[in-house]
């Protein structure tokens, strides 16, 4: 009984090493209930997998982790890490991209139509990749945080996320209007 | 299933979609719960409905293309092992566990997270075979403003949207009420100040037209002696005006200071008192630095309000109106001409404040970031040096320093350009007055402008332009003032989450047994840390709590001391719910020794008596002796009167801990809580602390968290936690015999401590820590 361990597919020794997934050793596919599955050669089929960026800002196209929950409140385990997604077949790339899109529900701000400060709240009317959105944000430093060198992630009162990848890339009038209020 | 009355958990499915679903075998009218989400599983906005039927879960949505089905996903109840919500980034998922994997049933944005947390709770009951109750109360959300529906940061938070500027202003006025008499006096003095300021120009006018150049005004030249007397009286009048102005200035300044500083003092105390009433949860959500700013800086804005009443905008407005009337009274045509640049002055200053003033914010931001970088580098200088990263830190500092330089430069460039340009506009007004007025003086028209009038006019003109420029800053001051006031009222209006109920009962004092009954709690929304914890501690029992990091051990203690309120279930002390107990008595009954003991700046004696100022010297000595602290305290040159610095600087970790134990011992609590009390000290200190703990826990109800399991060996019972649940409970021997998680943890620790390399590393680490301290 002393040697009994919880049955997991990853041994304790494996936990200390990154397992890089390559097209030669694994296949990413859709399995039962439309869930994302990863079949790893000489290992097993992992179901209910989700994708997460290791470096969402610096290396958004690389280092994508495929994770799965082990169940009953235990910690999630990493099936493996994809170093370069593009080396996978297009249909598998598409599946990973879909999984990433599901996990990261972020509006990318393309234009700022209007921004107003009103006693501790910032009202914004913006054009995003998901359409035109109006939202309210608390005027606090932790509600507009740095993203990379010149970007900002804004969190509205519902904690929905809005990304400005590069504030300097906004048209001058919009950039000035934005930085006049979100000056940090 | 009970009749569903909730609006959010019984939404109406569009008729067309309901028909399509019905055609595919899903009858929405018989579902016991229907909830709508705003996202589809592709991560795009789309209305998707979760339909909970008696024996299955179904998601439906309007088909996007011909041939597509309305039913997106179906999972029979029999296949579902678990239901949960999982947080993504900007949204989340409702998931079901089928076989060995979690299946995403639907996705939602964070705007819907509250709803689907409730949905998951109902579905868990349904899965467990219970009958979920769905009623109108499910539509209530204490984390939303009842008036406007805006999400609040936490339960009891103040809605910023509903707190309007006007209301803020009115409330500031109410704070002035006790000083109404002084405020009225100050305003009267302002009127006197303005009236006195008008006098010199009139005296100069008289001096010119009667004494110095009477001919140009059509007056008879005075003989030298008479002119000298006039001159003496006029100069004396000017001197009197100067003296009176100075006197009124002194009086106004002092009165303003008395009222302003008193209001600030009142407000600062009020805010601080309120902050001390707030629960620990409040400090989890707010940055301490921000709160310090509110107490220290924002309250200072109250003084600015008084200053504005005396020397600021009120005085400027009165001056502007009065001088304007005098100017037009002297010569309305000239007044009209010289006021031509006034709108330009006003406009340019407005532009300045709108365009240039925000750059000051960037200066402030760059400065605060520079301070942050400097603080980080200097605090971590040992690490910087150990890794030889001085050049890298130099570069990091330089980047921040360049930003400060550039932001300052940008502001100063603008200001140094703006001020002279506005000066030119002012000068244009004066030049126009000189030219047009000068011509009129030269023409010597009867009843026309004379030299004295012109000089007085020019004097008044200067008095007119000065407040005009300053008044344009009114909006800016008002915005800053209202923002600061709002931040203060936001603190004052936030109700503490932990409050004592009316008619709270005294501590039963029956022996301090503690019971946790199905306690559920989470620090963040939808993320429970404790998931249905139930256990009982008998009076005088010693309970050890073990588990991995993040398993919820410290949370148990936080709830025990009622630093936080349980989300579900209850905690009883001697069969009384702790929410019904008097809060100070409860806190008086629970003594806590933390992993990182917090000592205040002050003497060792003051720190030991922190919880009991009435303790006698003998009691203090006894407590310190029992805590194995007496000997090291005596070794200090100043003994118990040794002054220790911030957070106990000057003492080692073990010494700090022993003082905190003495403090707890003197407090003599019924229930003692030890949170990793010995994990940060070397073996020798640990031994001394363990001896002290053994003395003070004897016969006292004790909850002890420890990573070093050997320290809990003598506990009556040990609770083993994992993932927010109790997975094992029993004595050391019983748990070893179980061969479960506790057995595994003990085995790992035994193997580690048997490893000489580990033992040496642990000793070195503790020794190093001691040395650093």
């Amino acid at each position: 009984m002393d040697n009994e361990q919880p049955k997991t597919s990853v041994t304790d020794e494996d936990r200390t090493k990154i397992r890089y997934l390559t097209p030669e050793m694994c296949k990413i596919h859709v399995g039962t209930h439309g869930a994302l599955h990863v079949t790893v050669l000489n290992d097993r089929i992992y179901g209910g997998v989700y994708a997460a960026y290791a470096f969402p800002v610096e290396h958004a196209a690389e280092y994508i982790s495929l994770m799965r929950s082990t169940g009953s409140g235990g910690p999630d385990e990493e099936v493996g890490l994809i170093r370069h997604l593009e080396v996978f077949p297009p249909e598998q790339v598409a599946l990973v991209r879909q999984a990433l899109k599901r996990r990261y529900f972020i509006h990318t701000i393309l234009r700022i139509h209007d921004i107003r400060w009103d006693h501790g709240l910032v009202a914004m009317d913006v054009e995003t990749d998901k359409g035109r959105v109006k939202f309210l944000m608390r005027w606090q430093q932790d509600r507009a945080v740095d993203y990379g060198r010149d970007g900002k992630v804004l969190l509205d009162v519902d904690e929905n996320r809005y990304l400005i990848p590069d504030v300097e890339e906004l048209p001058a009038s919009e950039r000035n209007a934005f930085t006049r209020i979100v000056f940090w | 299933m009970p009749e569903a009355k909730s609006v959010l958990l019984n939404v109406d499915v569009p008729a067309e979609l309901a028909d399509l679903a019905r055609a595919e075998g899903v009858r929405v009218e018989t579902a016991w719960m229907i909830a709508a989400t705003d996202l589809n599983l592709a991560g795009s906005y789309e209305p998707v409905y979760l339909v909970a039927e008696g024996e299955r879960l179904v998601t439906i949505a309007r088909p996007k293309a011909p041939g597509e089905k309305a039913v997106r996903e179906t999972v029979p109840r029999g296949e579902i092992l678990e239901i949960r919500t999982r947080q993504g980034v900007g949204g989340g998922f409702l998931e079901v566990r089928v076989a060995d994997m979690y299946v995403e049933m639907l996705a939602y944005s964070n705007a819907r997270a509250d709803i689907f947390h409730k949905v998951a709770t109902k579905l868990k009951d349904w899965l467990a075979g219970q009958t979920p109750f769905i009623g109108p109360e499910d539509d209530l959300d204490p984390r939303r403003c009842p008036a406007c529906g805006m999400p609040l940061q936490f339960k009891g938070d103040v809605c910023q949207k509903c707190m309007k500027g006007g209301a803020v202003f009115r409330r500031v006025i109410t704070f002035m009420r006790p000083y109404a008499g002084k405020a009225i006096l100050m305003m009267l003095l302002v009127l006197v100040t303005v009236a006195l300021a008008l006098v010199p120009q009139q005296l100069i006018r008289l001096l010119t037209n009667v004494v110095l150049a009477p001919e140009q005004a059509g007056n008879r030249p005075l003989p030298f002696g008479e002119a000298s007397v006039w001159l003496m009286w006029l100069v004396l009048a000017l001197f009197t005006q100067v003296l009176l102005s100075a006197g009124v200035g002194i009086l106004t300044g002092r009165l303003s200071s008395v009222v302003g500083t008193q209001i600030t003092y009142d407000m600062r105390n009020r805010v601080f008192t309120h902050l001390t009433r707030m629960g620990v949860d409040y400090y989890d959500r707010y940055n301490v630095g921000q709160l310090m700013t509110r107490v220290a800086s924002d309250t200072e804005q109250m003084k600015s309000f008084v200053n504005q009443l005396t020397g600021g905008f009120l005085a400027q407005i009165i001056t502007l109106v009065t001088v304007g009337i005098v100017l037009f009274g002297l010569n309305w045509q000239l007044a009209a001409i010289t006021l031509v640049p006034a709108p330009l002055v006003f406009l340019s200053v407005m532009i300045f404040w709108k365009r240039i003033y925000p750059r000051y914010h960037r200066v402030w931001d760059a400065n605060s970031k520079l301070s942050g970088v400097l603080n980080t580098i200097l605090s971590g200088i040992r690490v910087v040096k150990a890794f030889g990263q001085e050049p890298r830190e130099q570069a990091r500092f330089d980047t921040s320093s360049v930003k400060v330089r550039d932001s300052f430069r940008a502001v100063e460039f603008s200001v140094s350009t703006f001020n002279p340009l506005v000066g030119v506009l002012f000068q244009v007004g004066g030049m126009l007055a000189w030219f047009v007025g000068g011509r009129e003086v030269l023409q010597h028209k009867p009843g026309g402008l004379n030299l004295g009038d012109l000089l007085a006019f020019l004097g008044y003109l200067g008095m007119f332009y000065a407040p005009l420029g300053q008044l344009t800053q009114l909006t800016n001051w008002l915005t800053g003032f209202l923002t600061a006031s709002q931040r203060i009222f936001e603190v004052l209006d936030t109700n503490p989450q932990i409050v004592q109920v009316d008619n709270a009962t005294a501590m039963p004092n029956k022996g301090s047994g503690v019971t946790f009954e199905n306690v559920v709690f989470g620090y963040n929304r939808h993320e429970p840390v404790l998931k249905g914890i139930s256990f009982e501690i008998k009076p005088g029992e010693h309970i050890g709590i073990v588990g991995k990091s993040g398993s919820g051990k410290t949370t148990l203690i936080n709830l025990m001391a009622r630093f936080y309120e349980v989300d579900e279930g209850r905690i009883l002390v001697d069969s009384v719910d702790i929410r019904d107990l008097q809060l100070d008595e409860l806190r008086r009954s629970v003594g806590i020794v933390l992993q990182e003991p917090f000592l205040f700046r002050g003497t060792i004696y003051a720190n030991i008596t922190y919880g009991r100022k009435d303790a006698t010297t003998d009691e203090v000595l006894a407590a310190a002796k029992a805590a194995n602290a007496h000997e090291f305290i005596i070794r200090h040159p100043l003994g118990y009167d040794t002054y220790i610095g911030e957070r106990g600087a000057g003492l080692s970790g073990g010494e700090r801990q022993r003082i905190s134990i003495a403090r707890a011992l003197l407090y003599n609590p019924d229930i003692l809580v030890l949170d990793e009390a010995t994990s940060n000290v070397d073996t020798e200190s640990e031994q001394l602390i363990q001896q002290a703990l053994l003395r003070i826990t004897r016969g006292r109800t004790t909850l002890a968290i420890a990573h070093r399991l050997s320290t809990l060996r003598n506990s009556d019972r040990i609770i083993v936690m994992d993932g927010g649940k109790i997975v094992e409970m029993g004595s050391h021997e019983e748990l070893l015999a179980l061969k479960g998680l506790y057995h595994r943890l003990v085995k790992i620790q035994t193997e580690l401590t048997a490893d000489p390399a580990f033992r040496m590393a642990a000793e070195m680490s503790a020794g190093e820590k001691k040395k650093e301290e």
Side-chain angles (χ1 to χ4, degrees), chain B residues 255-564:
Chain B
L255 205 58
S256 161
S257 172
V258 166
V259 177
T261 52
Q262 187 61 36
I263 287 182
T264 306
Y265 168 83
D266 289 350
M267 192 63 98
R268 202 162 38 220
N269 277 2
R270 201 181 278 241
V271 175
F272 179 74
T273 307
H274 195 79
L275 283 173
T276 57
R277 288 177 54 221
M278 301 307 287
V280 177
D281 58 295
Y282 184 79
Y283 296 92
D284 292 344
R285 290 168 209 282
Y286 277 92
N287 180 307
V288 172
Q290 276 182 5
L291 291 175
M292 282 167 66
T293 306
R294 289 181 195 209
V295 178
S297 306
D298 289 348
T299 51
E300 285 292 321
Q301 284 283 345
M302 295 296 122
K303 202 162 68 185
S304 82
F305 182 75
V306 177
N307 289 340
Q308 291 302 336
L309 281 182
T310 53
F313 293 117
L314 184 71
Q316 308 295 352
I317 289 167
I318 294 171
T319 307
L320 196 70
V321 172
T322 321
V323 173
I325 291 169
V326 172
L327 280 176
F328 276 85
L330 277 173
N331 190 317
W332 72 266
Q333 296 97 331
L334 189 59
I337 290 168
T338 52
L339 285 182
V340 167
L344 280 174
V345 172
F346 198 79
L347 194 70
S348 56
V349 176
M350 287 293 277
I351 290 169
F352 175 84
W353 285 110
K354 200 171 175 196
R355 301 281 162 196
I356 300 174
Y357 189 76
R359 292 184 187 175
Y360 280 105
H361 285 311
R362 290 199 208 179
V363 172
W364 175 85
D365 181 50
N367 258 327
S368 68
K369 281 180 179 159
L370 180 72
S371 303
V373 167
L374 194 60
N375 184 30
T376 307
I377 296 170
L378 295 183
S379 308
I381 196 71
R382 282 164 197 256
V383 182
V384 174
K385 286 186 178 297
F387 285 89
Q389 291 300 309
E390 289 91 339
R392 180 192 176 129
E393 295 308 332
Q394 175 65 53
R396 190 148 72 113
F397 180 80
D398 197 51
T399 307
S400 294
S401 191
V402 162
K403 279 190 181 163
V404 173
R405 184 196 66 191
D406 291 351
S407 59
F408 256 120
R409 197 174 277 172
V411 167
E412 285 176 357
F413 269 34
S414 307
V415 173
S416 58
T417 310
F418 175 81
N419 283 342
L421 287 179
V422 170
V424 169
L425 287 176
F426 282 137
Q427 296 296 327
V428 167
M431 284 170 202
L432 282 171
W434 273 113
F435 183 72
V436 178
R439 269 173 60 93
E440 207 174 323
V441 170
L442 289 174
Q443 283 167 352
H444 295 295
K445 281 185 188 167
L449 202 69
N450 55 47
L451 183 61
D453 292 342
L454 181 62
L455 290 176
F457 190 93
L458 287 166
Y460 285 126
L461 196 64
M463 285 173 70
F464 184 81
Y465 274 117
L468 192 70
Q470 287 182 27
L471 270 178
T472 49
Q473 298 168 24
L474 177 64
T475 320
N476 181 64
W477 169 77
L478 206 58
T479 306
F481 170 72
L482 288 177
T483 310
S485 306
Q486 194 189 28
R487 282 201 291 256
I488 292 168
F489 291 130
E490 197 191 312
V491 173
L492 293 177
D493 290 348
T494 304
N495 299 318
Q497 276 193 281
I498 309 291
V499 285
Q500 184 172 296
V501 293
D502 294 335
N503 307 319
T505 54
M507 279 292 285
N509 204 14
K510 281 191 265 174
S512 306
V514 180
T515 311
F516 275 63
E517 273 185 13
N518 199 26
V519 170
V520 176
F521 173 78
Y523 297 99
N524 297 319
R525 291 201 269 193
H526 329 306
E527 291 173 30
V529 177
L530 299 182
K531 303 164 184 169
I533 296 288
S534 298
F535 65 90
E536 194 181 342
I537 310 171
K538 295 185 191 78
E541 201 177 11
H542 189 294
I543 297 288
I545 304 172
V546 299
K548 298 176 204 165
S549 297
S551 59
K553 304 184 295 293
T554 301
T555 307
L556 274 186
I557 283 166
N558 285 337
L559 295 179
M560 172 71 248
R562 215 182 156 208
F563 289 150
Y564 299 86

Side-chain angles (χ1 to χ4, degrees), chain A residues 9-86:
Chain A
S9 49
V10 182
T11 65
D12 282 345
E13 194 184 344
D14 290 340
R15 283 181 206 283
T16 62
K17 292 178 187 166
I18 294 279
R19 172 159 73 172
Y20 286 100
L21 299 176
T22 59
E24 296 74 34
M25 63 175 287
C26 78
K27 186 183 175 191
I28 302 159
H29 55 99
V30 174
T32 49
H33 294 290
L36 191 67
H37 284 59
V38 182
T39 302
V40 182
L41 194 67
N42 297 326
D43 186 4
R44 52 171 285 200
I45 301 171
Y46 294 91
V49 170
Y50 64 91
Y53 291 113
F55 306 98
V57 180
E58 298 297 332
H59 304 284
E62 298 165 312
Y63 300 103
I64 294 159
S65 176
L66 296 185
M67 307 275 293
R68 69 184 286 272
S69 298
T70 50
S72 301
D76 291 0
E77 68 171 22
E78 186 176 65
V79 176
L81 194 70
I82 297 173
R83 198 197 300 260
H84 303 293
L85 182 61
E86 299 305 330

Side-chain angles (χ1 to χ4, degrees), chain A residues 69 102 105 107 138 159 179, chain B residues 41 45 84 89 110 151 362:
Chain A
S69 298
R102 271 203 295 278
F105 182 67
H107 304 74
R138 286 188 180 83
E159 300 201 4
T179 54
Chain B
L41 280 172
Y45 280 117
R84 71 171 188 182
V89 180
N110 276 340
R362 290 199 208 179

Side-chain angles (χ1 to χ4, degrees), chain B residues 99 129 136 152 173 236 316 337 355 371 404 410 440 503 547 552 575 581 603 682 695 728 747:
Chain B
L152 306 173
I173 298 286
L236 207 62
Q316 308 295 352
I337 290 168
R355 301 281 162 196
S371 303
V404 173
E440 207 174 323
N503 307 319
S575 308
L581 288 172
T603 62
D682 60 287
R695 274 180 226 134
E728 291 166 14
K747 190 165 168 272

Side-chain angles (χ1 to χ4, degrees), chain B residues 77 162 277 431 454 475 523 574 639 657 709 724 727 731 768:
Chain B
R77 179 156 82 163
C162 293
R277 288 177 54 221
M431 284 170 202
L454 181 62
T475 320
Y523 297 99
D574 288 336
Q657 191 59 285
L709 304 179
V727 290
S731 68
E768 189 62 34

